[in-house]
Each structure stands twice: as C-alpha cells, then as structure tokens.
Amino acid sequence: MIELSLLALLGSTSGSAVAPQPIATVPLTAPLLAQAAPPTADAAQDILSFAVVDALFSTSPDARERQALLTLPSQEAGPFDELTWSGEGRLAAVYNYGEVYIWNPASASPTQVFESTCAYLPNLSLFWANQGKTLLIQEVCDVPNSETGDSIGLYLSDGAGPQGTRPLPGLPDDISSQLYISPDGSQVAYVWQGNIYRLALNGARPRQVTSEPGVYGAAGSPLAWSPDGTQLAFYEGSYPFQRLNVIDADGRNRKVLTPGPNFQIYRSRIYWSPDSRSIVFFQPFDPPYGNQETLQLVNVATGEIRPLTRPGFYDAVSWSPDGQKLALAVGEVERQSLFVLDLATETFTPLTAEPLAQVLQTLWSPSGSWLAFSGEPVGQELGNQILYTVRPDGSDLRSHSADDEYVYPFTWQPGPVTQAAN
C-alpha cells in the first residue's frame, strides 16, 4: 500500500528523476514523534548542537536526553543567531543579536570576542579559518538612505578577547555585495565597481577575477565557492534575467551554464556538489505566469543540464557528504514533506509521516548517517520550530525539542566526513 501511494504521488521514476508536486501527507506507519531506537554504533560520532532562545544543548540522534552545553554569557535573555564548531572543538556563537562568543569545552565560560557597533540590529555570520585557529566575523549593518547600501566589514579573531579581534586589511569601503569566504577560509570574494574580486587574508592586495564589468550579485545573488576552492559560481545580469556562470578563482575559463538568452531565476541559491563537479539550482516554471520551480542539476565540465523534479515548490535542499543524495522539502511552506533523492537510482524516499510547515533547512551529519531539520507542526498556533533527526532511509525519526520551544540555530559537531565518490 505504501509503495502504491508513493507511486501515485511521485509518478513514474523511469528516465530523469521526477519528484512529487505539492503533496498532502506521505503515508508512513511511524508517527512523527517516534520513540528513540536503541543506540547505534555511529551515535558517538554524530553529535548535534542546538539553541532554544537563551540556552544551548547537545544530543546524539539516538539519545533519550539532551545535555546543557554551556553557561550563558549574561543574565539577559537574548537569542542565539549562529553556531559554528571549529575542527579543534571550539564553539563560536552569535548571542543577543550583536555579540560573538567563543567557548572551549575545557574552559568554564565563553569568551566574548566581538560586539557590533551597528546603529541597528546587525547581521553577523561566522566562519572558522586557519585550521580552526582564527574566527572570521562578517558584520552587515543596515544604513538607511545610503547611496552605497549596507555597511559590510570582516573581522579576524584569535579568540583571546576583543583585543584579539581586528578588521581585515585591504577591503574596500564601498563593496556592493556581501563577502563570500573560500572553503579553507584563506580568502574572500566580493563585488566592487562592477567586477568580482578576491582578497587573501594574509595581507596581499585584492585580485580581480572577472575581466569585464557586469551585474554581479543582483538581488542578493551569491558568489559561491566550489568545495575544492578552485572555482566561483555566480549569477550575472539584471534580476530576474540572470544566467548561471562559473569561473576559475584565478579568472580563467569562464563559462555560462544556463546559456538561454531569456533565462530567469526567482531564487539564486547555488548548491555545489561535494566533489565540485555539479551544481543544483532552482529554475522557474513558465515565468512570469507561475510561481512554481524545478530543481536542475548541471555538470560544470560539460554544461549538461539534468532535470531532477517536476514543477512544484521545493526548499531546504542539501547534499549528502558522499555526493550521492539530496535532501529536500516538497510543498508550499504551509504544508511540506521531506524526501531524500538518490541521484543514481532516481528514487525518492519519504522521511516524514506528517506534513510540516516552514522547514527552514536540512543538515546531514558528518558521517552521512543522519539528517537534522526543523519545522513547525501544521496548525500549531505557537509557530515554534521543532528540531528533528531521521536516518536517510526514513527510519528512527524523532524530535529533540518541546512544542513550546523555538529551536534556532542548530549544527552538527565536527566528526568523520565521508569522501565524495570519484
């Protein structure tokens, strides 16, 4: 019965993968809040950290209880906006909107390393560099009525405190995009005076990547580094007529991956595969008359484009660590179900027994054995994001937070990484 129901929802799976259109409920036998299974062999290497307004916790997907992670930096109730672990096991967090702390589990309390001076609430993002020895802090300040847009800065912290945090030298004051950090944290890409530039964190002068001015970064289009750090993918053109490009980080071998002259986008998310060979992107269906999209996969070397889904509504896309699967939420934001797409077999595995609302993101564990995601139970008046974990085959689904808690953000602690297939 389950297989027949899924076939009716997914359609034929022969040829290119074709995902369901927006759905109501995927019929599974397990309840949404399933009981935890006995601990498994990989539980020790997959540890999840998460925040609930003014507290931090850690848990493993198989754990029946969560553990308090650290002492709060102040008595004021302020939310956490970002969590990120270094490979050395240090945790950096944005707290109380504009404060950044670093916590070493061996110490008794976190160390504050940065406090924003933005006139309005800032947007802070964190990234570990220099093999976990340096924390990069990007600060975006809203500047009303400014001709140059937001004020953007990047700071480098050694973790010793505010005195060990300094601005990145050589960054122009009037860049026209956010900063995009390379996977190894050694350099940043940005748009300045109509071209893409990259700046090394070692003090070298900026290098121009593109050879001619263009409309880069329109409507927040990103400059997306490939995981191996050798290429940048980006959209060029006036929104919504933007075409997907890729270029070597040294400025050579620029290619247009969506060559159609009237190619349009609604969402400019770029999802590189772990092996840096492919990109998944959103393509509108029948613009401007409809608001549905399809997921497309493009081979960066050949330019071959492969459709992955039917027209519909998709979100919370993420690659598995081995590059063989994609997680995605299907359906309009008020009613979504979660699937895993196996790219080799072009089959979809349902992960949720009941629909959820506002699935914000999916995160694969370092081992690839689990998926973490958050969403709101449909019809819940509180509108709280509940944290869940599930195996990629749909088993062992369970929640890790209560209905009256709002979980954000969450992240996996560092662990063994499955290498992408050749």
Side-chain angles (χ1 to χ4, degrees):
M1 180 63 69
I2 293 177
E3 293 179 356
L4 292 176
S5 300
L6 287 176
L7 287 174
L9 289 168
L10 300 178
S12 172
T13 57
S14 62
S16 297
V18 181
Q21 297 185 29
I23 61 178
T25 300
V26 178
L28 296 179
T29 56
L32 185 60
L33 303 181
Q35 294 296 319
T40 56
D42 63 351
Q45 66 186 21
D46 286 325
I47 304 297
L48 190 62
S49 306
F50 62 96
V52 291
V53 181
D54 59 354
L56 288 179
F57 298 95
S58 66
T59 188
S60 68
D62 284 331
R64 298 180 182 276
E65 296 181 357
R66 60 192 187 186
Q67 296 181 341
L69 195 55
L70 59 81
T71 303
L72 293 177
S74 73
Q75 297 300 316
E76 298 180 7
F80 291 88
D81 293 323
E82 186 162 349
L83 302 174
T84 180
W85 286 90
S86 74
E88 296 179 333
R90 291 195 295 170
L91 176 65
V94 176
Y95 176 73
N96 203 22
Y97 303 106
E99 304 168 12
V100 177
Y101 292 83
I102 294 178
W103 178 68
N104 187 328
S107 63
S109 60
T111 299
Q112 184 172 355
V113 297
F114 181 82
E115 184 171 1
S116 174
T117 58
C118 293
Y120 301 91
L121 290 179
N123 182 1
L124 300 180
S125 56
L126 309 177
F127 189 95
W128 286 102
N130 190 22
Q131 297 181 336
K133 297 180 177 64
T134 303
L135 180 68
L136 306 183
I137 306 168
Q138 181 174 183
E139 177 189 56
V140 181
C141 298
D142 181 21
V143 184
N145 304 318
S146 171
E147 294 183 357
T148 59
D150 297 336
S151 171
I152 300 173
L154 188 67
Y155 299 85
L156 288 69
S157 175
D158 61 10
Q163 70 277 6
T165 302
R166 58 184 176 86
L168 173 68
L171 188 67
D173 294 331
D174 56 345
I175 64 174
S176 52
S177 74
Q178 292 197 26
L179 302 172
Y180 299 93
I181 302 169
S182 64
D184 65 357
S186 66
Q187 54 190 331
V188 297
Y190 57 89
V191 179
W192 181 62
Q193 296 186 348
N195 272 294
I196 296 175
Y197 286 78
R198 58 186 176 91
L199 175 64
L201 272 61
N202 61 8
R205 65 184 183 88
R207 301 287 184 180
Q208 187 172 327
V209 177
T210 50
S211 59
E212 57 185 36
V215 182
Y216 307 106
S221 299
L223 311 177
W225 289 89
S226 60
D228 63 10
T230 64
Q231 296 175 291
L232 282 165
F234 56 91
Y235 283 99
E236 193 279 328
S238 298
Y239 181 83
F241 296 99
Q242 295 176 278
R243 297 191 295 176
L244 181 62
N245 291 244
V246 68
I247 192 171
D248 290 351
D250 62 7
R252 295 182 297 178
N253 300 320
R254 178 172 174 176
K255 292 186 293 185
V256 179
L257 299 180
T258 52
N262 296 320
F263 183 81
Q264 295 187 40
I265 64 167
Y266 295 156
R267 286 187 290 177
S268 57
R269 296 295 299 272
I270 295 172
Y271 303 95
W272 279 97
S273 63
D275 62 7
S276 301
R277 296 180 180 180
S278 303
I279 292 172
V280 168
F281 63 93
F282 292 97
Q283 181 171 333
F285 175 72
D286 195 27
Y289 305 105
N291 61 350
Q292 294 185 339
E293 296 171 296
T294 60
L295 285 178
Q296 306 280 330
L297 184 146
V298 58
N299 183 304
V300 173
T302 67
E304 178 185 1
I305 296 178
R306 170 187 169 192
L308 298 180
T309 69
R310 290 176 176 172
F313 301 94
Y314 305 97
D315 217 331
V317 177
S318 63
W319 285 89
S320 63
D322 63 4
Q324 302 303 302
K325 299 179 177 66
L326 287 174
L328 66 159
V330 180
E332 297 188 68
V333 294
E334 298 85 1
R335 199 172 184 86
Q336 297 173 304
S337 291
L338 206 63
F339 289 84
V340 163
L341 166 61
D342 188 303
L343 295 174
T345 63
E346 299 184 334
T347 56
F348 290 83
T349 299
L351 304 182
T352 49
E354 302 288 342
L356 294 167
Q358 301 283 348
V359 177
L360 297 182
Q361 68 176 139
T362 56
L363 287 178
W364 292 79
S365 69
S367 71
S369 300
W370 297 92
L371 270 164
F373 63 97
S374 67
E376 303 172 11
V378 173
Q380 184 200 61
E381 295 182 358
L382 295 175
N384 284 331
Q385 286 280 309
I386 309 300
L387 178 64
Y388 302 92
T389 55
V390 65
R391 290 191 180 275
D393 63 3
S395 63
D396 295 335
L397 174 67
R398 63 162 300 166
S399 64
H400 296 272
S401 59
D403 289 347
D404 60 352
E405 293 177 318
Y406 189 101
V407 172
Y408 184 84
F410 59 92
T411 187
W412 293 98
Q413 296 181 206
V417 177
T418 302
Q419 297 296 321
N422 293 324

